[in-house]
Amino acid sequence: MQLPSQPITLTAEQIKELNNKLATMRHDINNQLSLINAALELIHYRPDTSQRMMAVLAEQPPRIAAALVQFSGEFEQTLGITRP
């Protein structure tokens, strides 16, 4: 990871945009974690739903990882961080 060699100045708009993206990412991840909890509870109380709920559970980790990768890329781009 190559960090900028000089100080970085962000405008208020850039900070606001990063904060909005972070808030969106947090919201999306919380929703996905809520789906995981709901699926686990449903499996606990209605084991006959386990097959369908396993699909819901399996979808969530890649979605969470994708949200983190997307935000990280936007964050690094805004701050001028590059990867080899």
Side-chain angles (χ1 to χ4, degrees), residues 2-77:
Q2 185 72 26
L3 298 176
S5 59
Q6 299 295 317
I8 305 249
T9 302
L10 296 177
T11 65
E13 186 60 35
Q14 288 173 308
I15 293 170
K16 180 181 177 182
E17 185 177 335
L18 278 176
N19 187 57
N20 287 340
K21 289 177 182 181
L22 178 61
T24 298
M25 182 188 65
R26 279 193 315 253
H27 176 75
D28 291 346
I29 290 174
N30 281 333
N31 283 344
Q32 290 148 344
L33 292 173
S34 294
L35 282 173
I36 291 170
N37 284 333
L40 290 172
E41 282 189 40
L42 195 52
I43 290 170
H44 178 74
Y45 290 108
R46 295 198 45 213
D48 58 307
T49 65
S50 64
Q51 190 75 10
R52 191 168 31 125
M53 291 302 104
M54 291 304 259
V56 171
L57 290 170
E59 292 171 353
Q60 302 321 304
R63 288 181 178 177
I64 292 169
L68 289 169
V69 166
Q70 181 179 349
F71 177 76
S72 294
E74 293 167 353
F75 182 82
E76 290 171 356
Q77 182 180 6

